[in-house]
Amino acid sequence: MTEHFDAIIVGAGQAGPALAGRLTAAGMTVALIERRHVGGTCVNTGCRPTKTMVASAYAAHLARRGADFGVSSGAVSVDMAKVAERARRIILDARHGNEDWLQGMPGLELVRGHAAFLGPGLMAVGERRLSAPRIFLNVGGRPAIPDLPGVKDVAFLTNADLIAIDNLPQHLVVIGGSYIGLEFAQMFRRFGSRVSVVEMGPRLIAREDEDVSEEIRGILEAEGIEVRTSATCISLAPHETGVSVGVDCQTGAPSIQGSHVLLATGRRPNTDDLGLDKAGIATDARGYITVDDQLATTCEGVWALGDCNGKGAFTHTAWNDYEIVAANLLDGEARRVSARIPGYALYIDPPLGRVGMTESQARASGRSLLVAKRPMSRVGRAVEKAETLGFMKLVADAETREILGAAILGTSGDEAISGVLDLMNAGATIDTLRWAVPIHPTVAELLPTLALDAKPDGGAS
């Protein structure tokens, strides 16, 4: 017997529960299907636990710097079991809070199990058959495991494994020099591990401007993290210490021996076992569900939200996907994904806050540019905190005065960048930023000065 609902949501990550709340409030009956943990990546293996551990690592780092602030302290040690337990507690608090909310939501049934399409509008969860005229896929993603030589012969870790580890790796080798890998690299170095980062490309976080990439490399190396780039022939093999990682770089030893290895080489969408073909739902070559500007798939009545649609790999973009779909279906609006201004952060210390175009992307667009750059050593708030590493950069269109993008690699950069993001969303020009009056003393108070510095030759440095 087929059970009928007004809507089916597959996945209880960032977008799914919020959408369920809007749909049930509109009088619809909703089945929310989750095969594992409510809360998705952010709550269970992503933002919440990793940023909790980043905070622990920062506390250890600051304790070691006590003398810089006139504070005497003894030897600093890290109890990894307590670090892991703190992260686990925050995971469970968030997960259980979401579960309680959903289970008390009128009109919603929380269905546990794996969902797969039987045809358009029809899904199976175990022995149950569920149908609805509206289906929303919020199935998220998981770590991508590269087909490296020897990968099946060693016990590797993913980010999900590493947040649960309760003992300190003696030597952690991180394969992948991008956002997830770098956060864990610095985190475990501050906990006390020896850490090596292995990146196949010529530099770290290749999507960023080269000056950002090189500055981050310098920050990590200054903390004792070994960085090996241009590792064109990465391989894995068992070793008496744990694992041997072949790197075959142009300089340095051809291999690294470590106790643990983290594979941080990107993510893949959880779309391979949904039976999408039975519903006529197209995907791209990497498995991401093809959607239009309003997140509709190639099957009428089906939408894809969050990491599985390839339109953003962040909690805040998944949330915005929910906002777009809900506004269009329930509020008579015509919101579009293409109107979203990209913004994100890298949570090393100091963090990188990014919005809009990089300088390289802006130059590639052929526009006439205004560019400004200022070291954090000239930011009063950074000096007062004795955290002067990094810089801030602003890019604008010289003709229209439109703000095109910004980067703040420095203390509070992940927060201060929101001021630029808000102005860009409001369509404000660089001149509006120039005449803003921020609070003193803050990192954000330098943004008007940065706007004033913007010049066709690249501005101040």
Side-chain angles (χ1 to χ4, degrees):
M1 181 179 296
T2 300
E3 304 171 61
H4 300 284
F5 295 84
D6 294 319
I8 294 172
I9 301 171
V10 184
Q14 188 66 23
L19 182 60
R22 284 295 314 271
L23 296 177
T24 55
M28 298 187 193
T29 57
V30 178
L32 175 56
I33 305 167
E34 175 54 57
R35 64 174 157 184
R36 198 174 182 197
H37 297 312
V38 168
T41 297
C42 178
V43 165
N44 295 287
T45 61
C47 316
R48 297 301 295 270
T50 57
K51 277 44 179 187
T52 299
M53 295 175 73
V54 164
S56 293
Y58 179 73
H61 177 68
L62 200 59
R64 295 186 185 103
R65 292 190 59 206
D68 295 345
F69 302 91
V71 178
S72 299
S73 61
V76 176
S77 62
V78 174
D79 186 331
M80 280 304 301
K82 289 186 177 180
V83 170
E85 172 56 26
R86 180 170 176 267
R88 190 182 75 85
R89 186 171 64 252
I90 287 178
I91 290 171
L92 293 179
D93 285 349
R95 185 192 302 165
H96 294 160
N98 277 320
E99 289 173 340
D100 291 344
W101 173 46
L102 292 171
Q103 288 167 351
M105 187 180 293
L108 176 74
E109 181 180 352
L110 180 58
V111 180
R112 298 287 188 167
H114 169 241
F117 280 96
L118 297 174
L122 182 63
M123 305 198 79
V125 183
E127 298 299 318
R128 298 178 65 177
R129 293 163 60 94
L130 311 179
S131 72
R134 307 168 192 85
I135 297 178
F136 306 91
L137 304 177
N138 178 223
V139 295
R142 63 188 187 273
I145 306 304
D147 188 21
L148 298 173
V151 71
K152 296 180 181 179
D153 301 326
V154 300
F156 60 81
L157 303 170
T158 67
N159 65 296
D161 303 315
L162 208 49
I163 62 171
I165 196 168
D166 59 3
N167 60 308
L168 189 66
Q170 182 178 359
H171 183 183
L172 176 65
V173 182
V174 178
I175 298 180
S178 195
Y179 305 91
I180 293 174
L182 298 187
E183 288 180 19
F184 277 104
Q186 186 185 54
M187 183 194 307
F188 275 86
R189 178 59 185 152
R190 290 181 169 186
F191 288 151
S193 297
R194 180 184 171 191
V195 176
S196 301
V197 175
V198 178
E199 167 57 39
M200 185 175 292
R203 58 185 179 91
L204 301 177
I205 46 173
R207 69 183 290 182
E208 305 297 341
D209 283 330
E210 189 169 350
D211 57 352
V212 172
S213 174
E214 289 307 308
E215 185 80 3
I216 288 174
R217 178 171 185 157
I219 288 168
L220 298 178
E221 289 182 333
E223 293 194 23
I225 296 172
E226 178 187 19
V227 177
R228 301 289 298 275
T229 50
S230 300
T232 54
C233 298
I234 302 174
S235 62
L236 303 172
H239 190 271
E240 60 183 11
T241 62
V243 62
S244 178
V245 180
V247 293
D248 194 27
C249 298
Q250 297 174 359
T251 60
S255 64
I256 301 171
Q257 285 69 50
S259 59
H260 298 70
V261 61
L262 167 66
L263 297 184
T265 52
R267 295 179 64 77
R268 58 177 297 186
N270 292 326
T271 58
D272 48 315
D273 58 359
L274 294 177
L276 297 178
D277 56 324
K278 294 181 180 179
I281 298 173
T283 62
D284 66 14
R286 299 175 61 196
Y288 290 99
I289 297 172
T290 303
V291 294
D292 65 15
D293 212 14
Q294 296 185 326
L295 300 172
T297 71
T298 52
C299 176
E300 185 176 357
V302 180
W303 293 260
L305 303 83
D307 294 4
C308 67
N309 65 23
K311 298 295 184 180
F314 306 103
T315 297
H316 53 276
T317 53
W319 178 266
N320 184 235
D321 285 355
Y322 140 69
E323 292 179 312
I324 291 170
V325 168
N328 294 344
L329 288 179
L330 302 174
D331 302 331
E333 299 198 27
R335 300 290 177 181
R336 298 172 292 109
V337 179
S338 58
R340 183 163 65 208
I341 296 172
Y344 54 87
L346 164 64
Y347 290 95
I348 61 165
D349 176 37
L352 168 68
R354 274 269 299 108
V355 62
M357 295 182 179
T358 64
E359 181 183 353
S360 299
Q361 289 171 334
R363 293 194 184 283
S365 72
R367 305 174 190 231
S368 176
L369 302 180
L370 298 172
V371 181
K373 184 176 177 181
R374 177 170 286 249
M376 295 299 293
S377 59
R378 294 175 61 189
V379 178
R381 185 69 171 138
V383 172
E384 293 151 9
K385 295 175 68 177
E387 297 182 358
T388 57
L389 297 175
F391 58 83
M392 53 175 61
K393 182 164 59 170
L394 182 69
V395 183
D397 187 304
E399 296 179 2
T400 66
R401 314 291 289 179
E402 175 190 4
I403 302 171
L404 300 178
I408 304 179
L409 173 58
T411 182
S412 300
D414 54 327
E415 294 281 356
I417 199 69
S418 292
V420 182
L421 177 58
D422 291 343
L423 283 175
M424 292 177 68
N425 274 300
T429 67
I430 192 172
D431 303 298
T432 303
L433 177 58
R434 160 69 185 93
W435 290 105
V437 184
I439 296 169
H440 171 81
T442 60
V443 171
E445 74 174 311
L446 263 291
L447 290 173
T449 304
L450 198 66
L452 182 63
D453 283 346
K455 297 177 177 61
D457 63 358
S461 61

